[in-house]
Amino acid sequence: MKDVLTVIMAGGRGQRLMPLTQDRSKPAVPFGGIYRLIDIPLSNCINSQLYKILVFPQYKSQSMVDHLEEGWNIFSGDLGHYLRIAAPQQRAGTEWYRGTADCVRQNLYLIMREKPRYVLILSGDHVYKMDYSAFREYHEKKGADVSVGLLEVDRAQGSEFGIAEVDNDFRIRAWEEKPKDPKPIPDDPERSLASMGIYLFRTDLLLELLHKTDHDDFGKDIIPRLIDDFKVIAYPYRRLNKIRDYIHMVDPDGVRGLRLVDQTRDSQYWRDVGTLDAYWNANMDLTGIDPFFNLYGTLWPIRTFQKQYPPAKFVFNQADPNKPRTGTAVDSIVSSGSIISGGTVRSSVLSYNVTVRSWAEVDESVIMDNVEVGRHCRIKKAIIDKHNIIPPGTQLGIDPQEDRKQFHVTPRGIVVVPKSYFK
């Protein structure tokens, strides 16, 4: 993989994730307690032995830049490895990036300087595990000019994506953005192939395309125009992606232990957290005995910058039948520095330094750093951003009509509390 240069698009404004993106870009949004969204594709890169990475930020990027500088300074310049954050420089004009292709075009000098054989283009805000080395192997086996990562989705969902029409050899023959009647996969009439925003280009072709055209976006503009003249190949992600790792299994005697498998269940997992409901769903997918997306793999770890907090603590065990006061958390992720002080947490994700006071209840919620949940609070199906001190007795997610008077409530009924709302 030494001849592959990775480009990560990290400029997402994230309008549909407001208010979480009020002060940060979409790839910088916290996820899974201790991570940020950009940690996911970066970890995939490292696990795929990709060590030459360019990150292209744009909007409200400072918190992401701080995070990368603090936690991702792991590359050896002596070995030719690097992670470079290339801020918008308006080298090709006076405009900011108009789309993914325009973003790469404005930074072509970085690619030309490296002279890689291939350029891998990724999004900085999707949740998935992918072996990019297998993607490259598939690209070469097919003799492709461009390979596109595509997700098998039900045809009923296809109208939400860019859809590729392929032949029996998975060569892309047509491309349509958000079609009313998505074309099916030839051997699976119930599913269609939807764009994941993952592209592997021959570098010479990419340079030629971006020099000769002024198209703004790869998915909407570049790929559809390549289909007739170049070999553009679909990579069916859920069929071919295989993440080898240890998983917990229960033997016939009921004993839980580790087993090495060649394809974990989350090898097929992919989620675009472009909306608040999708973001909440992705966090909920991390909880439970057998999570849909597993953060605890040993052969395919998810890396991040680890803040220095003490271990999580659970205190009070007063099992009074009339007024129990026990600090408990079940089916949940509780990050370092958090104290469950006589409250109850269920099916939730708690970030660093969260305190849940006595007799408070937190259910199916995402709580970010430095939040205090006061006594007797009831929090259900909520996303609470950083630096909030929630007054005792507050109810969130219990009465959506009441919540809407102060907060944004999603179509699914998730109440979202902005950063520092409760002080």
Side-chain angles (χ1 to χ4, degrees):
M1 301 295 280
K2 292 181 180 179
D3 57 358
V4 180
L5 175 64
T6 303
V7 170
I8 299 182
M9 303 294 181
R13 191 190 294 267
Q15 290 291 92
R16 295 181 298 166
L17 278 177
M18 291 287 285
L20 303 184
T21 49
Q22 180 69 46
D23 299 311
R24 57 171 82 93
S25 63
K26 186 177 171 185
V29 171
F31 175 75
I34 65 173
Y35 306 95
R36 292 180 185 256
L37 289 175
I38 197 169
D39 291 329
I40 306 300
L42 281 173
S43 294
N44 286 336
C45 288
I46 301 305
N47 294 334
S48 300
Q49 299 183 342
L50 288 167
Y51 304 123
K52 298 177 181 179
I53 304 169
L54 298 175
V55 177
F56 294 156
Q58 185 163 212
Y59 301 105
K60 301 177 182 177
S61 61
Q62 191 58 53
S63 63
M64 182 189 69
V65 171
D66 292 345
H67 173 75
L68 295 179
E69 290 180 345
E70 290 170 335
W72 283 93
N73 188 20
I74 61 174
F75 295 84
S76 170
D78 290 341
L79 297 176
H81 303 168
Y82 57 79
L83 187 156
R84 293 180 182 144
I85 306 166
Q89 301 176 62
Q90 297 182 335
R91 292 178 65 97
T94 59
E95 295 182 323
W96 282 40
Y97 304 143
R98 301 190 306 269
T100 53
D102 183 63
C103 175
V104 176
R105 181 183 294 109
Q106 292 196 38
N107 293 281
L108 275 183
Y109 77 102
L110 293 171
I111 298 173
M112 296 168 67
R113 186 170 68 181
E114 181 61 40
K115 299 178 182 178
R117 184 178 182 184
Y118 299 112
V119 176
L120 175 66
I121 299 173
L122 307 173
S123 173
D125 48 28
H126 295 157
V127 179
Y128 65 108
K129 296 178 182 178
M130 183 171 175
D131 185 351
Y132 302 130
S133 64
F135 184 39
R136 181 250 180 90
E137 182 180 346
Y138 177 87
H139 174 90
E140 293 184 331
K141 180 180 178 181
K142 292 287 188 179
D145 296 304
V146 184
S147 292
V148 183
L150 294 162
L151 184 74
E152 301 90 324
V153 299
D154 292 338
R155 288 185 66 191
Q157 297 177 302
S159 59
E160 303 174 11
F161 300 91
I163 297 295
E165 182 181 353
V166 300
D167 60 20
N168 291 326
D169 195 40
F170 280 86
R171 180 168 179 172
I172 298 177
R173 297 297 185 179
W175 185 281
E176 192 173 2
E177 286 292 322
K178 299 182 178 180
K180 293 182 179 179
D181 184 21
K183 300 295 183 182
I185 305 173
D187 60 1
D188 190 350
E190 300 302 319
R191 290 179 174 81
S192 299
L193 290 171
S195 175
M196 301 169 66
I198 298 173
Y199 311 100
L200 185 64
F201 279 87
R202 275 191 5 243
T203 302
D204 57 347
L205 174 59
L206 178 65
L207 294 177
E208 179 184 352
L209 288 169
L210 295 181
H211 278 307
K212 288 184 176 180
T213 70
D214 59 358
H215 301 307
D216 292 339
D217 196 79
F218 287 113
K220 295 178 181 178
D221 304 315
I222 299 289
I223 299 300
R225 288 173 170 82
L226 290 177
I227 291 169
D228 293 335
D229 299 323
F230 296 92
K231 192 170 186 180
V232 184
I233 293 293
Y235 182 81
Y237 166 79
R238 283 182 171 154
R239 297 187 185 199
L240 300 181
N241 188 56
K242 294 182 179 180
I243 302 300
R244 186 171 183 264
D245 212 333
Y246 290 94
I247 63 170
H248 283 93
M249 302 288 289
V250 179
D251 66 21
D253 295 328
V255 177
R256 193 170 172 85
L258 288 174
R259 180 184 299 175
L260 181 63
V261 297
D262 289 330
Q263 186 175 23
T264 60
R265 181 171 72 164
D266 57 11
S267 297
Q268 300 183 350
Y269 184 96
W270 183 86
R271 193 180 288 277
D272 179 356
V273 291
T275 68
L276 290 164
D277 280 334
Y279 173 79
W280 178 85
N281 283 332
N283 276 278
M284 294 301 102
D285 286 343
L286 307 175
T287 63
I289 296 174
D290 187 16
F292 292 102
F293 188 79
N294 182 24
L295 298 175
Y296 297 87
T298 56
L299 301 184
W300 200 272
I302 306 299
R303 295 171 169 83
T304 189
F305 167 61
Q306 295 276 4
K307 296 182 180 179
Q308 297 301 310
Y309 283 107
K313 183 167 68 170
F314 304 79
V315 294
F316 291 112
N317 185 24
Q318 300 173 4
D320 185 332
N322 297 317
K323 197 176 183 181
R325 187 189 189 191
T326 58
T328 59
V330 294
D331 292 336
S332 297
I333 291 174
V334 181
S335 302
S336 299
S338 295
I339 301 176
I340 314 302
S341 178
T344 301
V345 178
R346 308 178 190 93
S347 302
S348 296
V349 175
L350 275 56
S351 293
Y352 293 110
N353 201 34
V354 173
T355 301
V356 180
R357 297 293 183 191
S358 295
W359 303 292
E361 297 183 26
V362 177
D363 290 278
E364 298 177 282
S365 295
V366 180
I367 314 293
M368 297 187 191
D369 299 9
N370 301 312
V371 171
E372 179 178 313
V373 179
R375 288 186 170 195
H376 301 287
C377 286
R378 293 182 64 197
I379 312 295
K380 185 176 179 64
K381 291 187 176 179
I383 302 170
I384 300 177
D385 208 339
K386 296 181 178 183
H387 309 306
N388 274 289
I389 301 176
I390 303 175
T394 300
Q395 295 194 0
L396 297 170
I398 308 301
D399 185 347
Q401 291 185 349
E402 191 65 27
D403 291 334
R404 287 189 181 96
K405 295 178 181 179
Q406 301 179 75
F407 308 110
H408 176 74
V409 178
T410 73
R412 186 164 180 170
I414 311 302
V415 57
V416 186
V417 178
K419 184 189 299 184
S420 303
Y421 183 89
F422 294 106
K423 298 181 179 180

